[in-house]
Amino acid sequence: MVRNRTHELLNDIAFLGPAVIFFTMIVVASFFLGIYYAFTDWNGISLTANWVGLENFRTIFTDDRQVGYSALFTLRLTITAVILSNTIGLGLALIVTRAIKFANGFRAIFFLPNVIGGIILGFVWRFIFTGAFPSLSRIIPLQFFQLPWLGDAFTGFWAIIIVFTWRTTGYLMVIYIASILAIDDALIESAQIDGASGVQMFSRIILPLIAPAITICLFLMLSWSTKIFDVIFSLTRGGPFKSTEAFALNIYFEAFQANNYGLGSAKAILFFVVVGIATLVQVSITKRWEIES
Amino acid sequence: MSSAADRYNPTRTLVLTVVATIAAVIFLAPFYFVAINSVKIYGDILRNAAAFPRTFQVQNYIIGFRTSNFLRAFGNSLFITSISIVFMVFLGAIAAWRMVRRPHWFSKLLFSLFVVAMVIPFQSVMIPLMRIARMFDLLNSRNGLIVIYLGLGMPFTAFLLHGFARTVPLELEESAYLDGASTIRIFVSIVLPLLKSMLATVTILQAFWIWNDFLLPLLILFDDRLQTIPIAIFGFFGQYTDQWDYALATLMMGITPIVVFFLFMQRFIIRGVIAGSLKG
């Protein structure tokens, strides 16, 4: 029996050990070290960091205007992107699951942008906005092509939304397709026999039945949008004049450009808390809605 | 859902096909513009980006290929992605299986920590991570970067495989155990084959992440010789700001490998995305 217990313990160490070591060393250690740094003035280089108490948090809430702007920008971006991507993704899923030709081809095309990295996609669109659009506007005189796309805060915001929606929609569509295909044909047919209209069919039958997929897609979009970095970094670098600097970029610049590692850590902790709460709230609300419908 | 009634409605099918086609054209347009302009001379790009190329400037590709050191970046990306994945998936699988089979307090604690860790944004740990990386000598090294990926990717990997390991029937393992097989033997010869489709899912999801990841390699690798594809492309753009002829050719080179991979593995990848999301 004793031998058996040592045996099990050895197996625990052998099987769980490696995962625990890598996870602890990288994630757990960083997380707690980050909390410590949030209360210091560490500059990233010196070996010592001075304890400054709540000073960094005071700076964030009173002195730093940009961080508030970045938070609000991320919020606006998140709300817009979550709504747009899910609406278009669900719309495309509904179209592709109808008996149209080349459904698999369409599905692949809509998914395609998702497999390419955000940095590359951002550069692709920088060319579209600054190279292709001005050129197109000479052939097709649409105001849409003449806007200063990456040149001011308003158009910059929408430029990011366009790229990000284009990138994420296909992924959500794939999840919606799987969920729509899982709906029992008999339900749809009996509703049709009962004379349900297209709108009724969608709101009373399809929507409630794909509720779990909606929860997943809202969750994914929420977590991708709040953390958005790559696309903005290559598209606008947060400019012009920091007007498209999302929260993740703000943390990056604070730490690695201004060398305020302590202040950056404080922002990083706040970022985690806000993202964590937002995610929890979203999941619990949509879960409740899932059960009700 | 492709119910009988839909198929008998040719008008609606036509309308939907047209809508889908328009959407597809919009989705593909950016790639089209990058592709046609990547073979033009600079003046032609500025003059009319929409026009079909009059020339075929192989030169753009040659210069882009050399300046960005594309082959080296490709090799680095391939090395870092494949080695990370092999270790991550194997270590994640043995941990997940152990957590399922021996659900003692430590397994439960570890599992909850993994779930919490999945919500932590990378930007929330990246600053102290630089300190940890320096402490363990992981900076400016491909192996160091791999070690960091193992840590960051472990929660999601183990979480997904945990959900799947629960469905592996216990009876098979028990009879092998009674036959005197060691735990590792049982895992390799019985459990691993049963987990195969889920291992593929995890591999695909994590491989896309690592292959396309930008910020972590940017922070960890300083040496040009260690650059991955996203870093090489970023560096190229930093040097040749809006020098579109070479830049677009380089972008095409960055896009091509992953798109080819996607087209060949399409069914597999989409199945992986669905399986991964439904669990997560």
Side-chain angles (χ1 to χ4, degrees):
Chain A
M1 193 64 208
V2 174
R3 225 194 108 232
N4 220 339
R5 260 173 99 173
T6 4
H7 181 73
E8 287 301 339
L9 186 67
L10 283 175
N11 271 329
D12 273 345
I13 294 170
F15 282 71
L16 297 175
V20 171
I21 288 171
F22 286 117
F23 175 63
T24 312
M25 170 176 147
I26 302 299
V27 181
V28 180
S30 294
F31 186 73
F32 286 106
L33 195 58
I35 294 177
Y36 164 70
Y37 281 145
F39 296 95
T40 71
D41 64 354
W42 190 44
N43 62 10
I45 302 149
S46 74
L47 291 173
T48 53
N50 300 311
W51 185 264
V52 294
L54 290 169
E55 183 61 25
N56 289 328
F57 293 94
R58 199 193 58 76
T59 309
I60 292 170
F61 286 110
T62 57
D63 291 349
D64 192 338
R65 276 164 169 247
Q66 183 58 34
V67 77
Y69 179 85
S70 290
L72 210 63
F73 180 85
T74 311
L75 180 70
R76 274 199 300 149
L77 190 125
T78 301
I79 293 171
T80 318
V82 167
I83 294 171
L84 274 180
S85 271
N86 277 286
T87 315
I88 300 173
L90 180 55
L92 293 177
L94 286 169
I95 292 174
V96 171
T97 48
R98 294 305 168 103
I100 64 167
K101 277 182 183 158
F102 319 115
N104 283 339
F106 283 124
R107 194 183 63 175
I109 291 171
F110 298 141
F111 190 79
L112 189 66
N114 203 273
V115 303
I116 301 163
I119 278 291
I120 293 180
L121 296 181
F123 285 134
V124 164
W125 278 89
R126 198 157 98 187
F127 172 68
I128 301 298
F129 286 128
T130 63
F133 276 10
S135 214
L136 275 172
S137 76
R138 268 175 270 148
I139 308 161
I140 316 163
L142 268 179
Q143 217 216 326
F144 182 80
F145 294 133
Q146 290 162 349
L147 293 172
W149 273 103
L150 306 177
D152 68 43
F154 178 77
T155 49
F157 174 81
W158 286 102
I160 292 165
I161 290 288
I162 290 173
V163 183
F164 197 57
T165 308
W166 175 71
R167 183 192 189 188
T168 50
T169 297
Y171 199 101
L172 306 184
M173 175 201 67
V174 163
I175 297 168
Y176 283 128
I177 288 176
S179 173
I180 291 171
L181 290 178
I183 297 176
D184 190 353
D185 275 356
L187 268 173
I188 305 286
E189 270 158 36
S190 66
Q192 274 170 341
I193 292 164
D194 290 346
S197 69
V199 178
Q200 279 174 327
M201 183 87 86
F202 178 72
S203 63
R204 300 276 175 78
I205 298 178
I206 299 177
L207 216 49
L209 287 173
I210 62 166
I214 296 175
T215 304
I216 294 166
C217 289
L218 288 177
F219 169 81
L220 285 174
M221 244 349 251
L222 187 67
S223 83
W224 290 336
S225 324
T226 45
K227 294 180 219 169
I228 186 169
F229 184 92
D230 294 13
V231 166
I232 303 182
F233 203 68
S234 56
L235 194 63
T236 66
R237 268 221 156 189
F241 308 110
K242 290 176 174 286
S243 62
T244 57
E245 191 180 275
F247 206 88
L249 278 95
N250 185 278
I251 296 175
Y252 172 84
F253 289 131
E254 191 67 74
F256 302 113
Q257 224 166 51
N259 284 329
N260 295 324
Y261 281 57
L263 186 54
S265 295
K267 289 179 177 180
I269 298 298
L270 285 177
F271 186 49
F272 164 67
V273 171
V274 173
V275 170
I277 291 173
T279 315
L280 280 179
V281 168
Q282 179 262 318
V283 171
S284 68
I285 289 176
T286 42
K287 279 267 185 230
R288 197 175 308 151
W289 171 74
E290 251 178 60
I291 295 161
E292 276 168 17
S293 56
Chain B
M1 242 272 298
S2 53
S3 56
D6 285 342
R7 264 175 253 133
Y8 298 136
N9 193 336
T11 333
R12 193 168 67 184
T13 308
L14 184 70
V15 171
L16 290 176
T17 311
V18 170
V19 174
T21 309
I22 294 170
V25 169
I26 295 173
F27 265 72
L28 289 178
F31 297 124
Y32 171 76
F33 281 110
V34 170
I36 59 164
N37 286 295
S38 71
V39 294
K40 291 183 188 173
I41 56 168
Y42 190 61
D44 279 358
I45 300 175
L46 292 188
R47 217 165 296 129
N48 187 354
F52 210 70
R54 294 182 301 150
T55 54
F56 194 93
Q57 284 292 106
V58 189
Q59 194 66 15
N60 293 351
Y61 279 81
I62 295 172
I63 291 175
F65 192 84
R66 284 208 196 119
T67 323
S68 66
N69 235 311
F70 187 77
L71 210 57
R72 192 176 65 189
F74 183 83
N76 284 332
S77 279
L78 202 62
F79 176 80
I80 290 165
T81 307
S82 51
I83 304 290
S84 303
I85 289 296
V86 168
F87 281 97
M88 190 187 293
V89 170
F90 181 73
L91 298 179
I94 58 175
W97 179 61
R98 191 69 186 167
M99 286 192 290
V100 169
R101 283 290 170 259
R102 304 279 303 172
H104 43 54
W105 68 271
F106 187 77
S107 291
K108 285 176 187 155
L109 172 73
L110 188 61
F111 185 72
S112 339
L113 285 178
F114 282 163
V115 173
V116 174
M118 285 192 299
V119 190
I120 302 177
F122 172 69
Q123 286 85 4
S124 285
V125 292
M126 69 179 175
I127 300 168
L129 183 60
M130 289 304 98
R131 185 79 185 82
I132 304 269
R134 189 151 43 138
M135 202 155 80
F136 290 103
D137 206 16
L138 306 174
L139 287 177
N140 207 19
S141 128
R142 294 188 302 182
N143 294 337
L145 182 61
I146 290 170
V147 167
I148 299 177
Y149 277 128
L150 290 182
L152 292 175
M154 202 53 78
F156 186 58
T157 308
F159 174 80
L160 276 185
L161 293 171
H162 183 274
F164 212 73
R166 271 186 309 199
T167 63
V168 174
L170 192 59
E171 296 80 27
L172 283 171
E173 293 169 36
E174 274 174 342
S175 61
Y177 185 70
L178 292 176
D179 289 345
S182 67
T183 317
I184 191 76
R185 263 289 300 280
I186 293 174
F187 177 77
V188 172
S189 58
I190 296 176
V191 181
L192 220 45
L194 290 170
L195 285 177
K196 216 161 49 186
S197 76
M198 204 58 190
L199 295 178
T201 296
V202 178
T203 300
I204 284 166
L205 293 176
Q206 302 290 49
F208 274 114
W209 163 50
I210 297 175
W211 182 270
N212 289 327
D213 194 28
F214 168 70
L215 186 50
L216 181 62
L218 180 75
L219 294 172
I220 296 293
L221 311 170
F222 321 126
D223 198 327
D224 281 355
R225 282 173 305 168
L226 304 176
Q227 284 179 339
T228 60
I229 291 178
I231 306 296
I233 288 182
F234 182 75
F236 187 89
F237 270 79
Q239 246 176 316
Y240 297 87
T241 316
D242 300 337
Q243 184 73 39
W244 289 115
D245 43 357
Y246 307 148
L248 293 177
T250 314
L251 271 185
M252 281 302 289
M253 288 186 275
I255 291 171
T256 311
I258 195 85
V259 168
V260 169
F261 178 76
F262 168 66
L263 292 179
F264 275 104
M265 308 282 285
Q266 205 206 115
R267 284 174 162 271
F268 214 51
I269 290 165
I270 287 180
R271 213 183 304 149
V273 164
I274 294 166
S277 317
L278 296 184
K279 273 276 168 291

